[in-house]
Amino acid sequence: MNSKVAELLVAQVNKEFYSAYLYLGISKYFQQNDLSGFASWYRAQAMEEQEHALKFYDYLLDNDQDVPLPAIEAVTAEYKTVLDAVKTADKHEHYITDEINKIYDAAVSAKDYRTQLFLNWFITEQEEEEKNSKDMISKVQLLGDKPKNLYLLDKELAARK
Ligand code: FEO
Protein backbone atom coordinates (compact mmCIF):
# COMPACT_ATOMS: atom_id res chain seq x y z
CA MET A 1 0.00 0.00 0.00
CA ASN A 2 1.15 3.52 -0.75
CA SER A 3 2.67 4.99 2.43
CA LYS A 4 0.65 8.22 2.32
CA VAL A 5 -2.61 6.30 1.91
CA ALA A 6 -1.66 3.97 4.78
CA GLU A 7 -0.71 6.90 7.00
CA LEU A 8 -4.08 8.61 6.42
CA LEU A 9 -6.00 5.38 7.00
CA VAL A 10 -4.14 4.81 10.28
CA ALA A 11 -4.92 8.38 11.37
CA GLN A 12 -8.58 7.80 10.53
CA VAL A 13 -8.76 4.88 13.00
CA ASN A 14 -7.90 7.38 15.73
CA LYS A 15 -10.31 10.01 14.38
CA GLU A 16 -13.20 7.56 14.39
CA PHE A 17 -12.43 6.52 17.98
CA TYR A 18 -12.24 10.23 18.83
CA SER A 19 -15.68 10.61 17.20
CA ALA A 20 -16.97 7.87 19.50
CA TYR A 21 -15.51 9.72 22.47
CA LEU A 22 -17.01 13.03 21.33
CA TYR A 23 -20.45 11.43 21.00
CA LEU A 24 -20.10 9.75 24.37
CA GLY A 25 -19.39 13.19 25.85
CA ILE A 26 -22.49 14.60 24.18
CA SER A 27 -24.48 11.64 25.49
CA LYS A 28 -23.16 12.30 28.99
CA TYR A 29 -24.18 15.96 28.78
CA PHE A 30 -27.75 14.91 27.93
CA GLN A 31 -27.79 12.19 30.59
CA GLN A 32 -26.75 14.71 33.22
CA ASN A 33 -29.47 17.09 32.03
CA ASP A 34 -32.29 14.55 32.29
CA LEU A 35 -32.70 14.04 28.55
CA SER A 36 -32.28 10.28 28.42
CA GLY A 37 -33.68 9.96 24.88
CA PHE A 38 -31.04 12.32 23.51
CA ALA A 39 -28.44 10.53 25.65
CA SER A 40 -29.39 7.16 24.25
CA TRP A 41 -29.38 8.47 20.64
CA TYR A 42 -25.86 9.87 20.98
CA ARG A 43 -24.67 6.78 22.80
CA ALA A 44 -25.85 4.67 19.86
CA GLN A 45 -23.93 7.10 17.66
CA ALA A 46 -20.81 6.56 19.78
CA MET A 47 -21.12 2.79 19.25
CA GLU A 48 -21.45 3.33 15.49
CA GLU A 49 -18.25 5.36 15.48
CA GLN A 50 -16.38 2.50 17.13
CA GLU A 51 -17.62 0.26 14.31
CA HIS A 52 -16.28 2.81 11.81
CA ALA A 53 -12.90 2.81 13.56
CA LEU A 54 -12.78 -0.99 13.42
CA LYS A 55 -13.64 -1.05 9.72
CA PHE A 56 -10.50 1.04 9.05
CA TYR A 57 -8.51 -1.05 11.50
CA ASP A 58 -9.55 -4.34 9.88
CA TYR A 59 -8.94 -3.00 6.39
CA LEU A 60 -5.39 -2.04 7.31
CA LEU A 61 -4.62 -5.37 8.97
CA ASP A 62 -6.21 -7.32 6.09
CA ASN A 63 -3.83 -5.47 3.78
CA ASP A 64 -0.75 -6.25 5.87
CA GLN A 65 -0.40 -2.78 7.33
CA ASP A 66 0.52 -2.10 10.93
CA VAL A 67 -1.98 -0.07 12.97
CA PRO A 68 -0.32 1.85 15.82
CA LEU A 69 -2.79 2.74 18.55
CA PRO A 70 -1.78 6.11 19.97
CA ALA A 71 -3.74 8.02 22.64
CA ILE A 72 -7.18 9.33 21.82
CA GLU A 73 -7.53 13.05 22.47
CA ALA A 74 -9.63 14.00 25.49
CA VAL A 75 -13.03 15.61 24.98
CA THR A 76 -14.72 18.28 27.03
CA ALA A 77 -18.33 17.33 27.51
CA GLU A 78 -19.49 20.76 28.56
CA TYR A 79 -22.16 22.35 26.44
CA LYS A 80 -24.14 25.50 27.14
CA THR A 81 -27.35 24.40 25.46
CA VAL A 82 -28.93 21.46 23.65
CA LEU A 83 -28.40 23.35 20.38
CA ASP A 84 -24.73 23.84 21.20
CA ALA A 85 -24.30 20.08 21.70
CA VAL A 86 -26.07 19.06 18.49
CA LYS A 87 -24.20 21.71 16.48
CA THR A 88 -20.90 20.32 17.77
CA ALA A 89 -21.83 16.92 16.33
CA ASP A 90 -22.77 18.45 12.98
CA LYS A 91 -19.53 20.40 12.71
CA HIS A 92 -17.58 17.27 13.54
CA GLU A 93 -19.32 15.22 10.84
CA HIS A 94 -18.36 17.81 8.22
CA TYR A 95 -14.78 17.59 9.44
CA ILE A 96 -14.85 13.78 9.14
CA THR A 97 -16.26 14.02 5.61
CA ASP A 98 -13.32 16.27 4.67
CA GLU A 99 -10.85 13.81 6.17
CA ILE A 100 -12.35 10.87 4.26
CA ASN A 101 -12.24 12.90 1.06
CA LYS A 102 -8.54 13.55 1.68
CA ILE A 103 -7.88 9.81 1.96
CA TYR A 104 -9.84 9.28 -1.26
CA ASP A 105 -7.74 11.95 -3.01
CA ALA A 106 -4.56 10.21 -1.87
CA ALA A 107 -5.91 6.83 -3.05
CA VAL A 108 -6.73 8.32 -6.47
CA SER A 109 -3.22 9.84 -6.75
CA ALA A 110 -1.67 6.49 -5.80
CA LYS A 111 -3.94 4.57 -8.22
CA ASP A 112 -5.06 2.54 -5.22
CA TYR A 113 -8.36 1.23 -6.57
CA ARG A 114 -8.98 -1.13 -3.67
CA THR A 115 -8.90 1.68 -1.12
CA GLN A 116 -11.17 3.79 -3.32
CA LEU A 117 -13.66 0.93 -3.33
CA PHE A 118 -13.31 0.51 0.43
CA LEU A 119 -13.93 4.23 0.99
CA ASN A 120 -17.13 4.24 -1.06
CA TRP A 121 -19.02 2.89 1.95
CA PHE A 122 -17.78 5.81 4.08
CA ILE A 123 -18.63 8.38 1.45
CA THR A 124 -22.22 7.15 1.42
CA GLU A 125 -22.24 6.92 5.22
CA GLN A 126 -21.05 10.52 5.59
CA GLU A 127 -23.94 11.74 3.48
CA GLU A 128 -26.27 10.00 5.94
CA GLU A 129 -24.35 11.30 8.98
CA GLU A 130 -24.51 14.89 7.73
CA LYS A 131 -28.21 14.55 6.98
CA ASN A 132 -28.91 13.17 10.47
CA SER A 133 -26.96 15.90 12.23
CA LYS A 134 -28.59 18.62 10.11
CA ASP A 135 -32.05 17.17 10.83
CA MET A 136 -31.24 17.15 14.53
CA ILE A 137 -30.33 20.85 14.45
CA SER A 138 -33.56 21.63 12.59
CA LYS A 139 -35.66 19.70 15.11
CA VAL A 140 -34.00 21.38 18.08
CA GLN A 141 -34.35 24.80 16.45
CA LEU A 142 -38.01 24.20 15.63
CA LEU A 143 -39.05 22.56 18.87
CA GLY A 144 -36.30 22.67 21.40
CA ASP A 145 -36.68 25.95 23.20
CA LYS A 146 -39.88 24.98 24.99
CA PRO A 147 -39.52 22.35 27.75
CA LYS A 148 -42.66 20.46 26.68
CA ASN A 149 -41.43 20.18 23.07
CA LEU A 150 -37.98 19.14 24.25
CA TYR A 151 -39.62 16.42 26.31
CA LEU A 152 -41.52 15.15 23.25
CA LEU A 153 -38.39 15.23 21.09
CA ASP A 154 -36.51 13.36 23.80
CA LYS A 155 -39.18 10.64 23.72
CA GLU A 156 -38.90 10.40 19.93
CA LEU A 157 -35.11 10.03 20.09
CA ALA A 158 -35.39 7.31 22.74
CA ALA A 159 -36.84 5.06 20.02
CA ARG A 160 -33.52 4.70 18.15
CA LYS A 161 -32.18 1.16 18.44
FE1 FEO B 1 -17.64 7.88 11.50
FE2 FEO B 1 -19.97 9.87 12.16
O1 FEO B 1 -18.64 9.29 11.00
Side-chain angles (χ1 to χ4, degrees):
M1 188 183 286
N2 171 276
S3 61
K4 181 71 187 168
V5 173
E7 184 189 309
L8 291 171
L9 287 167
V10 165
Q12 196 62 29
V13 173
N14 193 280
K15 285 170 189 166
E16 297 289 343
F17 276 124
Y18 175 80
S19 304
Y21 225 30
L22 183 76
Y23 281 119
L24 194 61
I26 294 174
S27 175
K28 186 181 75 155
Y29 162 76
F30 286 125
Q31 193 69 42
Q32 291 175 331
N33 284 279
D34 302 319
L35 288 165
S36 60
F38 276 92
S40 140
W41 198 95
Y42 281 98
R43 187 168 165 144
Q45 194 65 33
M47 303 306 283
E48 255 195 23
E49 297 301 349
Q50 290 185 62
E51 287 172 19
H52 295 174
L54 292 174
K55 274 186 198 281
F56 282 104
Y57 170 86
D58 285 337
Y59 179 72
L60 283 156
L61 289 182
D62 288 348
N63 285 279
D64 300 321
Q65 301 298 311
D66 187 28
V67 192
L69 297 169
I72 300 163
E73 195 186 324
V75 295
T76 57
E78 285 165 22
Y79 300 101
K80 291 190 187 75
T81 60
V82 171
L83 188 59
D84 181 27
V86 302
K87 277 189 171 174
T88 297
D90 183 62
K91 188 170 166 217
H92 185 70
E93 286 302 340
H94 283 86
Y95 162 72
I96 290 292
T97 298
D98 288 346
E99 294 308 289
I100 286 170
N101 288 344
K102 280 183 204 162
I103 311 173
Y104 200 95
D105 285 345
V108 169
S109 297
K111 293 188 166 47
D112 179 347
Y113 304 111
R114 186 183 297 172
T115 298
Q116 290 172 47
L117 208 56
F118 167 73
L119 289 172
N120 283 346
W121 185 89
F122 284 96
I123 290 166
T124 307
E125 174 70 8
Q126 282 313 114
E127 188 180 2
E128 181 72 22
E129 296 276 66
E130 286 183 20
K131 182 184 179 304
N132 288 342
S133 60
K134 184 167 165 260
D135 286 353
M136 187 70 89
I137 291 174
S138 301
K139 281 181 183 173
V140 170
Q141 279 175 332
L142 277 170
L143 302 168
D145 60 346
K146 295 194 181 68
K148 188 180 165 198
N149 285 346
L150 202 53
Y151 173 77
L152 292 174
L153 184 52
D154 190 63
K155 275 182 84 164
E156 179 192 317
L157 294 178
R160 178 180 180 176
K161 295 285 173 274

